[in-house]
Amino acid sequence: MTSIAIVGAGPQMGLAIARTFGKQGFDVALISRNRENLDGLVGKLTAEGITAAGFPGDVLDRDSLTRALKDAADRFGGIDVLEYSPLAVESTTLATPAEGDPSHYQDQIEFQLYGAIAATKAVLPAMREAGTGTLLYTTGAGSLDPLPMVGNVNAAAAALRNWVVNLHKELDGTGIQAAHIAIDVALGGTSIDPTLKAATAEDVVPAYWELHTTKRDQAEIVVRG
């Protein structure tokens, strides 16, 4: 049985990705900080006939993140797909390039880049041994075209994008796909950028399945409205 681990699982993108892969026969491991939220997502997926389980883990606590991914691998016999898309809007301090302090950028680097590296290191050795696997990482489109009002968030997202594209190059020929998804739409119709078109998570998730299946040679997809 194949499995996907979703780091930063939530009620929009995380749930939509879980449904997309779950309906294709994947077992689903959901990872986030809040056990209650995980239980709610697992309940929804289970009611739809998808095998799912929640594993509490914090991307800022490397040990807990690694442990959650190990527990997920033990539960489902390995992890075939890793998707990384944590979101912490309520606790994020926004800073423009001119006004931001180094601490504003360090917080985001820890959250976006270092968390992704830790998650990858937890699953990549087994993928290398198997000679197959998929690693998917999500950011907003500010990783390519930044906005001053979210300068610190965009800078960290750009760092993650750079790292993922480079990882894709490094893994070429190994059977492991690494790719970046840049979401250039307003999910749920809300965004700090009024120029973005509104879209639902269901509009976006086909890109993830395509990268896992038919577009394994691509390092990146930009999803636009």
Side-chain angles (χ1 to χ4, degrees), residues 109-139:
I109 288 290
E110 292 277 356
F111 187 73
Q112 297 194 58
L113 178 61
Y114 295 167
I117 293 172
T120 303
K121 288 180 71 67
V123 302
L124 185 55
M127 290 183 178
R128 283 189 180 276
E129 185 175 350
T132 186
T134 301
L135 304 162
L136 304 174
Y137 308 84
T138 304
T139 73

Side-chain angles (χ1 to χ4, degrees), residues 57-189:
D58 186 344
V59 299
L60 294 176
D61 180 344
R62 312 293 180 240
D63 290 340
S64 79
L65 177 58
T66 300
R67 184 168 55 253
L69 287 164
K70 180 182 183 302
D71 290 346
D74 290 344
R75 170 72 177 272
F76 294 126
I79 293 172
D80 302 280
V81 179
L82 171 72
E83 193 279 324
Y84 186 86
S85 56
L87 187 64
V89 175
E90 71 285 350
S91 61
T92 298
T93 300
L94 303 181
T96 69
E99 297 174 351
D101 295 323
S103 62
H104 295 134
Y105 291 85
Q106 183 63 37
D107 288 347
Q108 285 299 306
I109 288 290
E110 292 277 356
F111 187 73
Q112 297 194 58
L113 178 61
Y114 295 167
I117 293 172
T120 303
K121 288 180 71 67
V123 302
L124 185 55
M127 290 183 178
R128 283 189 180 276
E129 185 175 350
T132 186
T134 301
L135 304 162
L136 304 174
Y137 308 84
T138 304
T139 73
S143 58
L144 295 93
D145 184 15
L147 293 172
M149 68 185 74
V150 285
N152 58 327
V153 175
N154 288 169
L160 174 57
R161 173 184 179 268
N162 180 283
W163 180 81
V164 173
V165 171
N166 213 12
L167 179 63
H168 177 90
K169 294 177 181 179
E170 182 181 4
L171 294 176
D172 183 41
T174 67
I176 303 169
Q177 159 73 329
H180 169 244
I181 300 95
I183 299 179
D184 194 19
V185 295
L187 290 178

Side-chain angles (χ1 to χ4, degrees), residues 187-213:
L187 290 178
T190 60
S191 173
I192 61 172
D193 183 355
T195 68
L196 292 183
K197 295 182 180 179
T200 66
E202 288 71 24
D203 296 326
V204 173
V205 292
Y208 294 79
W209 185 250
E210 290 169 1
L211 285 167
H212 173 63
T213 55

